[in-house]
């Protein structure tokens, strides 16, 4: 159970030390209980008390790190069941499934197809971050090692789906430095697989034939001292998988049962039955409830955009506006001679405006100003989208990069026209329509009249 500020206060050394960052130990204790400070910030805490309090005040779900460098990801660490209670901590990661039972041509084609879904949206990279490499005993360990080597060359985090100890050792020998996940422990082999994973320094995935077996196997692994775990909650059916995944998360967060306090793997390639539409429905479901890693048969470009949009909405702080990077975005083959159109960095505004500009087919340099992630009228009212800020941004970031001296401003801030023209000598300021949907006709009319 989480400790209260009073309980933490009883274990503090009562030094009233300024180094703690609080005027009193009670204030410090209350901040620790709220999660605003780490208990280790107190320099006078004894090692025993620090160990007890660190364990008691830690999130009910462990944070597990996998991968290395730019491909290092955090899994778990969640404290709430619902996004409206508090922001989720670690976003769901997606893995594309490979198997040693496939032919070399099938494997190469799947890896190449996976590479196609890789793009940026609002400053976030959108791709399947992992590859799930499944071991088929009939193919032999040598082919599995060859497949793991090929998969590791992509730079993605690997999840090794392998319950055979010898094959697991051979596979880890070629990829352990990249910190993969060894998803291979069960009730019959957990001791040996735990030893292999611990020696390699990698996370161990645990599976059970039922939720009770999964619980008992995790408890046994913890007794062995291994808490670097992830739980494979995939069942025989969709219903069983959903029930296990949700119950595991609820047990950890609502019942404070730390035996289930680990992130989870949901393997849709086992339960979707090869149905592409069923897979798309299930990956959306388990992104919200509560897959830390979701394994897919494939990730097509058509399915990726709505999926990543959903993930971005679920795992973005609702109190923090979604922003695009300020700068110049050439659209429809625009160059330095193309007209400029400026607006704010609020993500929704950007997508609405850029979509209509692309639909018009007219070459336009879309200039995104830094407006604190606020909408046009809100940022104008707050003074973040003004004649001063727009002109300053153009002088510092735009006018040296373009030859045009025409800029279109949002119709809702037409009042800024004169102010911008006075601060940007030589520039012609044109007022756009009030709504983004009117931009297509507006630009096509300007093009037809030779005003561009």
């Amino acid at each position: 159970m989480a400790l209260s500020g009073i309980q933490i206060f009883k274990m503090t050394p009562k030094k009233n030390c300024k180094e703690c960052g609080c005027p009193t130990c009670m204030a410090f204790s209350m901040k620790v209980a709220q999660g605003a400070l780490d208990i280790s910030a107190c320099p006078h805490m004894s090692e025993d008390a620090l160990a007890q309090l660190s364990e008691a005040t830690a999130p009910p779900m462990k944070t597990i790190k996998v991968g290395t460098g730019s491909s290092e990801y955090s899994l778990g660490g969640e404290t709430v069941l619902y996004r409206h209670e508090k922001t989720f901590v670690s976003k769901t990661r997606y893995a594309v499934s490979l198997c040693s039972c496939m032919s070399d041509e099938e494997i190469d084609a799947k890896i190449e197809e996976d590479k196609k879904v890789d793009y940026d949206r609002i400053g976030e990279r959108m791709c399947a971050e992992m590859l799930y490499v499944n071991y088929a005993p009939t193919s032999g360990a040598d082919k599995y090692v060859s497949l793991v080597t090929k998969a590791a060359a992509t730079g993605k985090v690997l999840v090794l789906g392998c319950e055979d100890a010898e094959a697991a050792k051979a596979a880890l020998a070629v990829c352990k430095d990249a910190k993969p996940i060894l998803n291979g422990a069960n009730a019959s082999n957990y001791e040996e697989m735990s030893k292999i994973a611990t020696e390699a320094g990698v996370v161990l995935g645990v599976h059970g034939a039922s939720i009770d077996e999964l619980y008992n196997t995790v408890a046994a692994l913890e007794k062995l001292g291994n808490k670097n775990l992830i739980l494979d909650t995939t069942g025989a059916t969709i219903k069983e998988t959903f029930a296990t995944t949700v119950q595991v998360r609820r047990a950890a967060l609502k019942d404070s049962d730390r035996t289930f306090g680990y992130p989870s793997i949901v393997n849709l390639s086992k339960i979707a039955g090869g149905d592409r539409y069923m897979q798309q429905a299930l990956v959306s479901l388990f992104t919200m409830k509560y897959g830390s890693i979701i394994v897919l048969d494939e990730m097509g470009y058509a399915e990726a955009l709505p999926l990543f949009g959903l993930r971005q909405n679920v795992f973005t702080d609702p109190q923090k506006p979604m922003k695009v990077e300020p700068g110049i975005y050439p659209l429809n083959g625009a160059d330095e001679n193309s007209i400029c159109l400026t607006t704010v960095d609020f993500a929704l505004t950007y997508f609405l405006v850029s979509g209509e500009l692309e639909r018009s087919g007219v070459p336009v340099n879309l200039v995104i100003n830094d407006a604190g992630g606020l909408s046009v009228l809100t940022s104008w009212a707050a003074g973040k989208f003004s004649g001063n800020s727009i002109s300053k941004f153009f002088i510092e970031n735009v006018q040296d990069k373009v030859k045009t001296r025409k800029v279109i401003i949002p119709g809702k801030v037409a009042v800024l026209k004169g102010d911008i023209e006075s601060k940007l000598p030589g520039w012609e300021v044109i007022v756009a329509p009030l709504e983004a949907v009117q931009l297509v006709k507006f630009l096509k009319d300007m093009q037809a009249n030779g005003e561009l």
Side-chain angles (χ1 to χ4, degrees):
M1 294 293 288
L3 297 183
S4 68
I6 297 294
Q7 290 171 311
I8 295 172
F9 175 69
K10 290 178 180 178
M11 299 184 71
T12 57
K14 317 299 186 299
K15 295 284 186 179
N16 291 332
C17 178
K18 292 181 180 178
E19 294 178 46
C20 293
C22 295
T24 66
C25 285
M26 175 56 84
F28 173 78
S29 301
M30 295 301 292
K31 288 192 174 183
V32 170
Q34 295 164 5
L37 281 176
D38 191 277
I39 190 65
S40 61
C42 177
H44 304 292
M45 190 73 67
S46 69
E47 289 187 8
D48 289 342
L50 187 61
Q52 293 179 46
L53 283 171
S54 294
E55 178 71 20
T57 57
M61 176 181 288
K62 277 181 69 72
T63 299
I64 301 295
K65 291 188 178 295
V66 298
T68 58
S70 61
S71 295
E72 181 181 77
Y73 305 110
S74 293
L75 307 171
E78 304 298 346
T79 58
V80 295
L81 283 173
Y82 306 108
R83 179 177 176 268
H84 66 264
E85 296 178 274
K86 189 177 180 181
T87 306
F88 288 152
V89 177
S90 302
K91 70 181 67 173
T92 297
R93 302 295 176 176
Y94 303 119
V96 171
S97 177
L98 301 172
C99 182
S100 59
C101 61
M102 297 176 176
S103 67
D104 290 339
E105 291 75 16
E106 289 176 307
I107 292 168
D108 291 341
K110 211 165 188 181
I111 290 175
E112 287 303 312
E113 189 67 25
D114 181 48
K115 290 178 182 178
K116 294 178 183 178
V117 181
D118 192 343
Y119 58 95
D120 287 330
R121 182 178 187 268
I122 319 179
E124 182 179 326
R125 187 181 178 190
M126 305 296 194
C127 66
E129 297 91 350
M130 302 182 180
L131 292 174
Y132 190 95
V133 189
N134 194 56
Y135 171 63
T138 54
S139 64
D142 290 342
K143 184 173 181 182
Y144 186 59
V145 172
S146 175
L147 173 57
V148 170
T149 303
K150 184 178 290 187
T154 65
K156 298 195 174 190
V157 177
L158 302 187
V159 184
L160 307 179
C162 179
E163 296 180 352
D164 182 281
E166 295 306 314
K169 286 180 185 177
L172 285 171
V174 300
C175 70
K176 66 181 179 181
D177 290 342
K179 300 300 179 187
I181 297 170
L182 173 58
N183 187 30
N186 55 42
S188 63
N189 69 357
Y190 69 87
E191 290 187 62
E192 187 174 14
M193 297 304 281
S194 178
K195 183 179 178 182
I196 293 171
T198 302
E199 288 177 352
V202 301
V203 175
L204 178 64
V206 191
H207 183 261
S210 67
I211 191 170
D212 293 331
E213 184 178 291
L214 176 62
Y215 186 91
N216 293 335
T217 306
V218 173
L221 283 163
E222 289 184 328
K223 285 183 181 178
L224 294 176
N226 190 349
K227 294 187 177 182
N228 195 23
L229 307 174
I230 186 167
L231 313 184
D232 189 333
T233 56
T234 311
T237 64
I238 295 170
K239 180 180 178 181
E240 183 183 336
T241 302
F242 181 73
T244 300
T245 305
V246 172
Q247 288 175 40
V248 163
R249 182 66 60 94
R250 288 186 65 86
L253 301 188
K254 288 297 184 184
D255 300 333
S256 299
D257 190 335
R258 292 179 185 266
T259 303
F260 271 159
Y262 297 95
S264 58
I265 296 176
V266 178
N267 194 335
L268 298 186
S269 66
K270 290 184 177 180
I271 61 172
D275 186 328
R276 188 169 183 174
Y277 300 105
M278 177 61 75
Q279 176 182 270
Q280 185 67 5
L282 292 177
V283 70
S284 301
L285 172 65
F286 285 104
T287 295
M288 297 183 287
K289 303 275 185 185
Y290 292 103
S292 303
I293 298 173
I294 300 178
V295 183
L296 310 170
D297 263 331
E298 60 181 339
M299 180 174 284
Y301 200 86
E303 298 98 330
L305 183 58
L307 174 60
F308 287 126
L310 171 67
R311 184 178 74 171
Q312 197 166 49
N313 286 334
V314 172
F315 291 94
T316 299
D317 186 345
Q319 297 180 345
K320 183 180 178 182
M322 295 175 69
K323 303 192 297 182
V324 295
E325 190 69 23
I328 305 173
Y329 293 80
L331 302 176
N332 302 324
D335 57 23
E336 59 185 7
N337 296 306
S338 302
I339 194 169
C340 294
L341 184 147
T342 189
T343 191
V344 296
D345 57 350
F346 180 42
L348 180 57
T349 300
Y350 168 80
F351 284 113
L352 286 172
V353 172
S354 62
E356 296 302 328
L357 294 179
E358 288 176 346
R359 196 161 65 91
S360 74
V362 177
V364 178
N365 286 310
L366 178 57
V367 178
I368 299 298
N369 283 264
D370 184 356
L374 303 175
S375 64
V376 172
L377 285 178
T378 306
S379 58
W380 170 70
K384 294 179 179 293
F385 192 57
S386 62
N388 284 331
S389 66
I390 294 172
S391 59
K392 181 179 179 182
F393 190 83
F394 267 71
I395 291 170
E396 294 178 354
N397 302 283
V398 179
Q399 68 178 11
D400 290 340
K401 300 175 183 176
V402 298
K403 293 180 179 178
T404 182
R405 287 298 180 262
K406 290 184 178 182
V407 58
I408 302 171
I409 64 172
K412 290 182 178 178
V413 290
V415 68
L416 297 178
K417 174 178 166 65
D419 193 20
I420 296 172
E421 286 180 333
S422 67
K423 292 180 171 66
L424 279 178
W427 281 80
E428 178 186 352
V429 178
I430 302 166
V431 178
L434 292 176
E435 302 298 335
V437 72
Q438 298 171 307
L439 284 171
V440 176
K441 182 178 185 304
F442 178 77
L443 288 172
K444 285 187 173 181
D445 287 347
M446 287 186 68
Q447 189 178 51
N449 296 330
E451 298 175 13
L452 299 178

